[in-house]
Amino acid sequence: MNTQPGTPMTPEDFEQALRAKGALYHIHHPYHKAMYEGRATPEQVRGWVANRYYYQINIPLKDAAIMANCPDREVRRHWVQRILDHDGFEDSEGGIEAWLQLGEAVGLTREEIISQEHVLPGVRFAVDAYVNFARRATWEEAASSSLTELFAPEIHQSRLDRWPEHYPWIDPKGYLYFRNRLSEARRDVVHGLQITLDHYRTLAEQQRMLDILQFKLDVLWTMLDAMSLAYELQRPPYHTVTQEAVYHRGLFR
């Protein structure tokens, strides 16, 4: 890799640097490793599904923010597919509905998932920070922050490979979201990676993009940190004061 001071990375080296960030992807978080290895309890699996729902319903908001800031019609024509993938269109129910089906498959009710009653404040803060970044950053920066999708097919495949074996109590119908994202994420990576390689030309710009990708990795890791405290260490917010889930319900954005 070209490391001379001030010299931009070649597109090949830049892509290699982006892909190297996969070493920090949340597939390596202890909480996810426990799920992958079959060590998670039903409560921990349900807690993860309920909290990740908040992430899922905010992805279309993030993508809409990118489109709102993007003057390039061709980019918008491609990017809108991400919103349709999650919200659904015509005969496709979309990823959010598929996630609700996953929730039901692990033993949650649709009503309690939609109510967000299980969403931990640490998860809410992390996801809100991501959406706010997408609203305030340039469209190129916000688009590039989605490149954690480089590593997503591996994490979805791991769930499809191991969850049925380790958690036979989960209804197999709930795995539709993971199956769909295998192809959707790979498609999205092609577009997002091209935007990134085309836009960041100077070394300073490339380093900023690596920082942006690290921010997105921080968001995903922090979400699991919050879940670890609540569902592994039995230390949810205010546990020393009350057993009730008294934390806020998303009053601020």
PDB file of all heavy atoms in Angstrom, residues 45-69:
ATOM      1  N   VAL A  45     -31.583 -13.328  22.667  1.00  0.00           N
ATOM      2  CA  VAL A  45     -31.964 -13.292  21.255  1.00  0.00           C
ATOM      3  C   VAL A  45     -33.141 -12.340  21.056  1.00  0.00           C
ATOM      4  O   VAL A  45     -33.136 -11.498  20.146  1.00  0.00           O
ATOM      5  CB  VAL A  45     -32.316 -14.704  20.747  1.00  0.00           C
ATOM      6  CG1 VAL A  45     -32.883 -14.636  19.327  1.00  0.00           C
ATOM      7  CG2 VAL A  45     -31.090 -15.610  20.783  1.00  0.00           C
ATOM      8  N   ARG A  46     -34.139 -12.435  21.907  1.00  0.00           N
ATOM      9  CA  ARG A  46     -35.302 -11.559  21.797  1.00  0.00           C
ATOM     10  C   ARG A  46     -34.914 -10.097  22.025  1.00  0.00           C
ATOM     11  O   ARG A  46     -35.415  -9.199  21.338  1.00  0.00           O
ATOM     12  CB  ARG A  46     -36.382 -11.986  22.788  1.00  0.00           C
ATOM     13  CG  ARG A  46     -37.006 -13.332  22.462  1.00  0.00           C
ATOM     14  CD  ARG A  46     -38.086 -13.723  23.451  1.00  0.00           C
ATOM     15  NE  ARG A  46     -38.527 -15.089  23.209  1.00  0.00           N
ATOM     16  CZ  ARG A  46     -38.442 -16.084  24.078  1.00  0.00           C
ATOM     17  NH1 ARG A  46     -37.956 -15.867  25.291  1.00  0.00           N
ATOM     18  NH2 ARG A  46     -38.852 -17.300  23.756  1.00  0.00           N
ATOM     19  N   GLY A  47     -34.027  -9.870  22.993  1.00  0.00           N
ATOM     20  CA  GLY A  47     -33.579  -8.506  23.238  1.00  0.00           C
ATOM     21  C   GLY A  47     -32.871  -7.918  22.037  1.00  0.00           C
ATOM     22  O   GLY A  47     -33.060  -6.741  21.701  1.00  0.00           O
ATOM     23  N   TRP A  48     -32.049  -8.730  21.388  1.00  0.00           N
ATOM     24  CA  TRP A  48     -31.352  -8.274  20.186  1.00  0.00           C
ATOM     25  C   TRP A  48     -32.342  -7.939  19.071  1.00  0.00           C
ATOM     26  O   TRP A  48     -32.243  -6.888  18.443  1.00  0.00           O
ATOM     27  CB  TRP A  48     -30.365  -9.343  19.726  1.00  0.00           C
ATOM     28  CG  TRP A  48     -29.651  -8.986  18.463  1.00  0.00           C
ATOM     29  CD1 TRP A  48     -28.590  -8.114  18.327  1.00  0.00           C
ATOM     30  CD2 TRP A  48     -29.930  -9.470  17.155  1.00  0.00           C
ATOM     31  NE1 TRP A  48     -28.210  -8.038  17.009  1.00  0.00           N
ATOM     32  CE2 TRP A  48     -29.009  -8.865  16.270  1.00  0.00           C
ATOM     33  CE3 TRP A  48     -30.869 -10.363  16.642  1.00  0.00           C
ATOM     34  CZ2 TRP A  48     -29.004  -9.121  14.899  1.00  0.00           C
ATOM     35  CZ3 TRP A  48     -30.868 -10.632  15.277  1.00  0.00           C
ATOM     36  CH2 TRP A  48     -29.948 -10.006  14.415  1.00  0.00           C
ATOM     37  N   VAL A  49     -33.301  -8.820  18.836  1.00  0.00           N
ATOM     38  CA  VAL A  49     -34.275  -8.596  17.767  1.00  0.00           C
ATOM     39  C   VAL A  49     -35.098  -7.333  18.042  1.00  0.00           C
ATOM     40  O   VAL A  49     -35.319  -6.511  17.152  1.00  0.00           O
ATOM     41  CB  VAL A  49     -35.195  -9.821  17.598  1.00  0.00           C
ATOM     42  CG1 VAL A  49     -36.330  -9.512  16.619  1.00  0.00           C
ATOM     43  CG2 VAL A  49     -34.388 -11.022  17.101  1.00  0.00           C
ATOM     44  N   ALA A  50     -35.553  -7.177  19.288  1.00  0.00           N
ATOM     45  CA  ALA A  50     -36.388  -6.022  19.633  1.00  0.00           C
ATOM     46  C   ALA A  50     -35.613  -4.717  19.483  1.00  0.00           C
ATOM     47  O   ALA A  50     -36.151  -3.701  19.016  1.00  0.00           O
ATOM     48  CB  ALA A  50     -36.910  -6.162  21.060  1.00  0.00           C
ATOM     49  N   ASN A  51     -34.341  -4.715  19.868  1.00  0.00           N
ATOM     50  CA  ASN A  51     -33.552  -3.496  19.771  1.00  0.00           C
ATOM     51  C   ASN A  51     -33.122  -3.205  18.343  1.00  0.00           C
ATOM     52  O   ASN A  51     -33.114  -2.046  17.919  1.00  0.00           O
ATOM     53  CB  ASN A  51     -32.330  -3.596  20.683  1.00  0.00           C
ATOM     54  CG  ASN A  51     -32.652  -3.212  22.118  1.00  0.00           C
ATOM     55  OD1 ASN A  51     -32.569  -2.052  22.489  1.00  0.00           O
ATOM     56  ND2 ASN A  51     -33.046  -4.194  22.923  1.00  0.00           N
ATOM     57  N   ARG A  52     -32.783  -4.233  17.600  1.00  0.00           N
ATOM     58  CA  ARG A  52     -32.394  -4.016  16.201  1.00  0.00           C
ATOM     59  C   ARG A  52     -33.565  -3.519  15.366  1.00  0.00           C
ATOM     60  O   ARG A  52     -33.358  -2.903  14.315  1.00  0.00           O
ATOM     61  CB  ARG A  52     -31.851  -5.315  15.604  1.00  0.00           C
ATOM     62  CG  ARG A  52     -30.429  -5.620  15.952  1.00  0.00           C
ATOM     63  CD  ARG A  52     -29.431  -4.837  15.151  1.00  0.00           C
ATOM     64  NE  ARG A  52     -29.497  -5.089  13.720  1.00  0.00           N
ATOM     65  CZ  ARG A  52     -28.527  -4.778  12.867  1.00  0.00           C
ATOM     66  NH1 ARG A  52     -27.416  -4.214  13.308  1.00  0.00           N
ATOM     67  NH2 ARG A  52     -28.655  -5.013  11.582  1.00  0.00           N
ATOM     68  N   TYR A  53     -34.772  -3.753  15.807  1.00  0.00           N
ATOM     69  CA  TYR A  53     -35.931  -3.221  15.089  1.00  0.00           C
ATOM     70  C   TYR A  53     -35.831  -1.706  14.973  1.00  0.00           C
ATOM     71  O   TYR A  53     -36.179  -1.132  13.934  1.00  0.00           O
ATOM     72  CB  TYR A  53     -37.228  -3.610  15.805  1.00  0.00           C
ATOM     73  CG  TYR A  53     -38.466  -2.980  15.223  1.00  0.00           C
ATOM     74  CD1 TYR A  53     -39.003  -3.419  14.015  1.00  0.00           C
ATOM     75  CD2 TYR A  53     -39.109  -1.927  15.873  1.00  0.00           C
ATOM     76  CE1 TYR A  53     -40.139  -2.829  13.468  1.00  0.00           C
ATOM     77  CE2 TYR A  53     -40.244  -1.336  15.346  1.00  0.00           C
ATOM     78  CZ  TYR A  53     -40.755  -1.794  14.143  1.00  0.00           C
ATOM     79  OH  TYR A  53     -41.879  -1.203  13.613  1.00  0.00           O
ATOM     80  N   TYR A  54     -35.351  -1.056  16.019  1.00  0.00           N
ATOM     81  CA  TYR A  54     -35.216   0.406  15.965  1.00  0.00           C
ATOM     82  C   TYR A  54     -34.226   0.814  14.887  1.00  0.00           C
ATOM     83  O   TYR A  54     -34.427   1.814  14.197  1.00  0.00           O
ATOM     84  CB  TYR A  54     -34.784   0.946  17.325  1.00  0.00           C
ATOM     85  CG  TYR A  54     -34.829   2.454  17.394  1.00  0.00           C
ATOM     86  CD1 TYR A  54     -36.040   3.138  17.319  1.00  0.00           C
ATOM     87  CD2 TYR A  54     -33.663   3.206  17.516  1.00  0.00           C
ATOM     88  CE1 TYR A  54     -36.085   4.532  17.357  1.00  0.00           C
ATOM     89  CE2 TYR A  54     -33.705   4.591  17.567  1.00  0.00           C
ATOM     90  CZ  TYR A  54     -34.919   5.242  17.488  1.00  0.00           C
ATOM     91  OH  TYR A  54     -34.970   6.622  17.523  1.00  0.00           O
ATOM     92  N   TYR A  55     -33.180   0.039  14.718  1.00  0.00           N
ATOM     93  CA  TYR A  55     -32.228   0.291  13.631  1.00  0.00           C
ATOM     94  C   TYR A  55     -32.905   0.095  12.280  1.00  0.00           C
ATOM     95  O   TYR A  55     -32.764   0.917  11.371  1.00  0.00           O
ATOM     96  CB  TYR A  55     -31.039  -0.652  13.781  1.00  0.00           C
ATOM     97  CG  TYR A  55     -29.977  -0.513  12.721  1.00  0.00           C
ATOM     98  CD1 TYR A  55     -29.001   0.468  12.804  1.00  0.00           C
ATOM     99  CD2 TYR A  55     -29.930  -1.402  11.643  1.00  0.00           C
ATOM    100  CE1 TYR A  55     -28.007   0.575  11.843  1.00  0.00           C
ATOM    101  CE2 TYR A  55     -28.948  -1.303  10.684  1.00  0.00           C
ATOM    102  CZ  TYR A  55     -27.988  -0.315  10.786  1.00  0.00           C
ATOM    103  OH  TYR A  55     -27.015  -0.206   9.818  1.00  0.00           O
ATOM    104  N   GLN A  56     -33.670  -0.984  12.142  1.00  0.00           N
ATOM    105  CA  GLN A  56     -34.311  -1.293  10.859  1.00  0.00           C
ATOM    106  C   GLN A  56     -35.271  -0.193  10.417  1.00  0.00           C
ATOM    107  O   GLN A  56     -35.279   0.194   9.244  1.00  0.00           O
ATOM    108  CB  GLN A  56     -35.069  -2.630  10.951  1.00  0.00           C
ATOM    109  CG  GLN A  56     -34.221  -3.819  11.349  1.00  0.00           C
ATOM    110  CD  GLN A  56     -33.057  -4.051  10.418  1.00  0.00           C
ATOM    111  OE1 GLN A  56     -33.144  -3.811   9.216  1.00  0.00           O
ATOM    112  NE2 GLN A  56     -31.945  -4.514  10.959  1.00  0.00           N
ATOM    113  N   ILE A  57     -36.077   0.323  11.343  1.00  0.00           N
ATOM    114  CA  ILE A  57     -37.068   1.321  10.926  1.00  0.00           C
ATOM    115  C   ILE A  57     -36.429   2.674  10.654  1.00  0.00           C
ATOM    116  O   ILE A  57     -37.056   3.545  10.031  1.00  0.00           O
ATOM    117  CB  ILE A  57     -38.199   1.478  11.973  1.00  0.00           C
ATOM    118  CG1 ILE A  57     -37.651   1.964  13.322  1.00  0.00           C
ATOM    119  CG2 ILE A  57     -38.963   0.163  12.122  1.00  0.00           C
ATOM    120  CD1 ILE A  57     -38.743   2.270  14.336  1.00  0.00           C
ATOM    121  N   ASN A  58     -35.192   2.856  11.089  1.00  0.00           N
ATOM    122  CA  ASN A  58     -34.508   4.120  10.827  1.00  0.00           C
ATOM    123  C   ASN A  58     -33.659   4.092   9.559  1.00  0.00           C
ATOM    124  O   ASN A  58     -33.243   5.151   9.082  1.00  0.00           O
ATOM    125  CB  ASN A  58     -33.640   4.504  12.023  1.00  0.00           C
ATOM    126  CG  ASN A  58     -34.417   5.269  13.072  1.00  0.00           C
ATOM    127  OD1 ASN A  58     -34.629   6.472  12.957  1.00  0.00           O
ATOM    128  ND2 ASN A  58     -34.889   4.557  14.091  1.00  0.00           N
ATOM    129  N   ILE A  59     -33.405   2.924   9.008  1.00  0.00           N
ATOM    130  CA  ILE A  59     -32.627   2.847   7.773  1.00  0.00           C
ATOM    131  C   ILE A  59     -33.305   3.614   6.629  1.00  0.00           C
ATOM    132  O   ILE A  59     -32.649   4.376   5.903  1.00  0.00           O
ATOM    133  CB  ILE A  59     -32.379   1.380   7.381  1.00  0.00           C
ATOM    134  CG1 ILE A  59     -31.430   0.725   8.390  1.00  0.00           C
ATOM    135  CG2 ILE A  59     -31.795   1.284   5.979  1.00  0.00           C
ATOM    136  CD1 ILE A  59     -30.079   1.375   8.488  1.00  0.00           C
ATOM    137  N   PRO A  60     -34.619   3.481   6.409  1.00  0.00           N
ATOM    138  CA  PRO A  60     -35.240   4.283   5.346  1.00  0.00           C
ATOM    139  C   PRO A  60     -35.150   5.782   5.609  1.00  0.00           C
ATOM    140  O   PRO A  60     -35.055   6.575   4.653  1.00  0.00           O
ATOM    141  CB  PRO A  60     -36.698   3.806   5.341  1.00  0.00           C
ATOM    142  CG  PRO A  60     -36.658   2.447   5.955  1.00  0.00           C
ATOM    143  CD  PRO A  60     -35.580   2.514   6.985  1.00  0.00           C
ATOM    144  N   LEU A  61     -35.179   6.203   6.881  1.00  0.00           N
ATOM    145  CA  LEU A  61     -35.032   7.622   7.194  1.00  0.00           C
ATOM    146  C   LEU A  61     -33.629   8.099   6.838  1.00  0.00           C
ATOM    147  O   LEU A  61     -33.442   9.203   6.312  1.00  0.00           O
ATOM    148  CB  LEU A  61     -35.311   7.868   8.677  1.00  0.00           C
ATOM    149  CG  LEU A  61     -36.680   7.438   9.213  1.00  0.00           C
ATOM    150  CD1 LEU A  61     -36.837   7.878  10.661  1.00  0.00           C
ATOM    151  CD2 LEU A  61     -37.800   8.021   8.353  1.00  0.00           C
ATOM    152  N   LYS A  62     -32.632   7.271   7.142  1.00  0.00           N
ATOM    153  CA  LYS A  62     -31.249   7.590   6.768  1.00  0.00           C
ATOM    154  C   LYS A  62     -31.123   7.713   5.259  1.00  0.00           C
ATOM    155  O   LYS A  62     -30.510   8.662   4.741  1.00  0.00           O
ATOM    156  CB  LYS A  62     -30.321   6.514   7.334  1.00  0.00           C
ATOM    157  CG  LYS A  62     -28.858   6.664   6.957  1.00  0.00           C
ATOM    158  CD  LYS A  62     -28.475   5.896   5.694  1.00  0.00           C
ATOM    159  CE  LYS A  62     -28.646   4.399   5.855  1.00  0.00           C
ATOM    160  NZ  LYS A  62     -28.189   3.654   4.622  1.00  0.00           N
ATOM    161  N   ASP A  63     -31.699   6.767   4.538  1.00  0.00           N
ATOM    162  CA  ASP A  63     -31.584   6.782   3.082  1.00  0.00           C
ATOM    163  C   ASP A  63     -32.361   7.942   2.463  1.00  0.00           C
ATOM    164  O   ASP A  63     -31.931   8.531   1.469  1.00  0.00           O
ATOM    165  CB  ASP A  63     -32.063   5.450   2.507  1.00  0.00           C
ATOM    166  CG  ASP A  63     -31.089   4.314   2.805  1.00  0.00           C
ATOM    167  OD1 ASP A  63     -29.868   4.575   2.811  1.00  0.00           O
ATOM    168  OD2 ASP A  63     -31.537   3.182   3.035  1.00  0.00           O
ATOM    169  N   ALA A  64     -33.502   8.290   3.053  1.00  0.00           N
ATOM    170  CA  ALA A  64     -34.261   9.439   2.567  1.00  0.00           C
ATOM    171  C   ALA A  64     -33.480  10.729   2.785  1.00  0.00           C
ATOM    172  O   ALA A  64     -33.536  11.655   1.948  1.00  0.00           O
ATOM    173  CB  ALA A  64     -35.617   9.514   3.274  1.00  0.00           C
ATOM    174  N   ALA A  65     -32.736  10.809   3.895  1.00  0.00           N
ATOM    175  CA  ALA A  65     -31.913  11.991   4.152  1.00  0.00           C
ATOM    176  C   ALA A  65     -30.811  12.119   3.103  1.00  0.00           C
ATOM    177  O   ALA A  65     -30.499  13.223   2.634  1.00  0.00           O
ATOM    178  CB  ALA A  65     -31.314  11.916   5.554  1.00  0.00           C
ATOM    179  N   ILE A  66     -30.212  10.992   2.737  1.00  0.00           N
ATOM    180  CA  ILE A  66     -29.180  11.016   1.694  1.00  0.00           C
ATOM    181  C   ILE A  66     -29.763  11.510   0.385  1.00  0.00           C
ATOM    182  O   ILE A  66     -29.190  12.378  -0.294  1.00  0.00           O
ATOM    183  CB  ILE A  66     -28.578   9.604   1.526  1.00  0.00           C
ATOM    184  CG1 ILE A  66     -27.789   9.221   2.782  1.00  0.00           C
ATOM    185  CG2 ILE A  66     -27.693   9.536   0.288  1.00  0.00           C
ATOM    186  CD1 ILE A  66     -27.337   7.773   2.818  1.00  0.00           C
ATOM    187  N   MET A  67     -30.925  11.014   0.024  1.00  0.00           N
ATOM    188  CA  MET A  67     -31.558  11.427  -1.226  1.00  0.00           C
ATOM    189  C   MET A  67     -31.952  12.897  -1.193  1.00  0.00           C
ATOM    190  O   MET A  67     -31.835  13.608  -2.202  1.00  0.00           O
ATOM    191  CB  MET A  67     -32.775  10.545  -1.504  1.00  0.00           C
ATOM    192  CG  MET A  67     -32.421   9.107  -1.830  1.00  0.00           C
ATOM    193  SD  MET A  67     -33.889   8.104  -2.161  1.00  0.00           S
ATOM    194  CE  MET A  67     -34.572   8.962  -3.574  1.00  0.00           C
ATOM    195  N   ALA A  68     -32.408  13.373  -0.031  1.00  0.00           N
ATOM    196  CA  ALA A  68     -32.820  14.770   0.083  1.00  0.00           C
ATOM    197  C   ALA A  68     -31.653  15.725  -0.142  1.00  0.00           C
ATOM    198  O   ALA A  68     -31.842  16.848  -0.624  1.00  0.00           O
ATOM    199  CB  ALA A  68     -33.440  15.024   1.459  1.00  0.00           C
ATOM    200  N   ASN A  69     -30.445  15.271   0.189  1.00  0.00           N
ATOM    201  CA  ASN A  69     -29.259  16.114   0.034  1.00  0.00           C
ATOM    202  C   ASN A  69     -28.533  15.895  -1.293  1.00  0.00           C
ATOM    203  O   ASN A  69     -27.534  16.573  -1.558  1.00  0.00           O
ATOM    204  CB  ASN A  69     -28.280  15.846   1.184  1.00  0.00           C
ATOM    205  CG  ASN A  69     -28.796  16.356   2.514  1.00  0.00           C
ATOM    206  OD1 ASN A  69     -29.535  17.324   2.577  1.00  0.00           O
ATOM    207  ND2 ASN A  69     -28.405  15.685   3.597  1.00  0.00           N
TER     208      ASN A  69
END
